[in-house]
Amino acid sequence: DTGVSQNPRHKITKRGQNVTFRCDPISEHNRLYWYRQTLGQGPEFLTYFQNEAQLEKSRLLSDRFSAERPKGSFSTLEIQRTEQGDSAMYLCASSLGGYANTGELFFGEGSRLTVL
Amino acid sequence: AQSVTQLGSHVSVSEGALVLLRCNYSSSVPPYLFWYVQYPNQGLQLLLKYTTGATLVKGINGFEAEFKKSETSFHLTKPSAHMSDAAEYFCAVSENTGNQFYFGTGTSLTVIP
């Protein structure tokens, strides 16, 4: 296993278009997180899954954002009707939860979104 | 509620000098504490973590950090800076259940030759 994989790595879109990002976590990790990072800021929590269940969502996650993890493996993050303020790096991370929790997040390299 | 404050968004040190990056946290429960490093165009990598036990933790590349509960601090140090240490460093805190992680705004480290 080569780690957390995200694609596309870069996405340029016009305002109002929909975009979808995919994250493939480390295979044995049951927890998957989405973060957003803007220039000069640390990662901001968006949402996380334990297996296929979405357990928590940030208030940052507006109704235009939706995330899924249908089979408890890969996850998608969709942004509908993109706005220029959505331009950011979208980070995915995975971890072991429960009794195997080592308290560590493993990050992918991120998907950079630019909304024109 | 949990939060992290990193003092100093930019730190410059000379090669061979001590590196000290500051992190203070707020947590209502026993925290897990982390330092991550982000090199240009790369994902965040774990440098070190504190969960339980010894309060002085050692990480990769010669970095270490000490958990001081009385000061609610988890400062990152390295005795001698190397050019390859130039990067963005993020402190993070989570509950000991690891349900959610909160990151600081980051400190950009510049190493001057």
Side-chain angles (χ1 to χ4, degrees), chain A residues 61-82:
Chain A
L61 211 65
S62 77
D63 291 344
R64 297 185 296 105
F65 288 69
S66 62
E68 295 182 341
R69 195 183 183 197
K71 297 182 180 179
S73 57
F74 74 92
S75 174
T76 58
L77 176 69
E78 181 183 18
I79 309 173
Q80 296 181 324
R81 305 181 302 282
T82 52

Side-chain angles (χ1 to χ4, degrees), chain B residues 11-109:
Chain B
V11 170
S12 294
V13 300
S14 298
E15 191 174 15
L18 171 72
V19 175
L20 171 60
L21 305 182
R22 299 179 185 275
C23 173
N24 288 87
Y25 71 91
S26 165
S27 177
S28 56
V29 297
Y32 285 179
L33 295 160
F34 308 83
W35 276 99
Y36 282 84
V37 61
Q38 187 174 32
Y39 298 104
N41 300 314
Q42 294 187 27
L44 280 82
Q45 304 173 33
L46 183 70
L47 266 183
L48 50 78
K49 65 180 179 182
Y50 168 79
T51 53
T52 59
T55 57
L56 181 63
V57 293
K58 297 184 184 300
I60 61 172
N61 301 336
F63 284 93
E64 61 182 38
E66 186 171 10
F67 169 55
K68 292 187 176 180
K69 185 177 178 181
S70 62
E71 298 177 8
T72 61
S73 69
F74 191 58
H75 301 329
L76 181 70
T77 61
K78 181 174 180 177
S80 177
H82 191 273
M83 295 299 294
S84 61
D85 295 328
E88 189 86 16
Y89 292 80
F90 294 95
C91 183
V93 61
S94 80
E95 300 172 357
N96 57 10
T97 58
N99 285 343
Q100 200 181 117
F101 293 74
Y102 298 87
F103 286 81
T105 53
T107 298
S108 177
L109 176 66

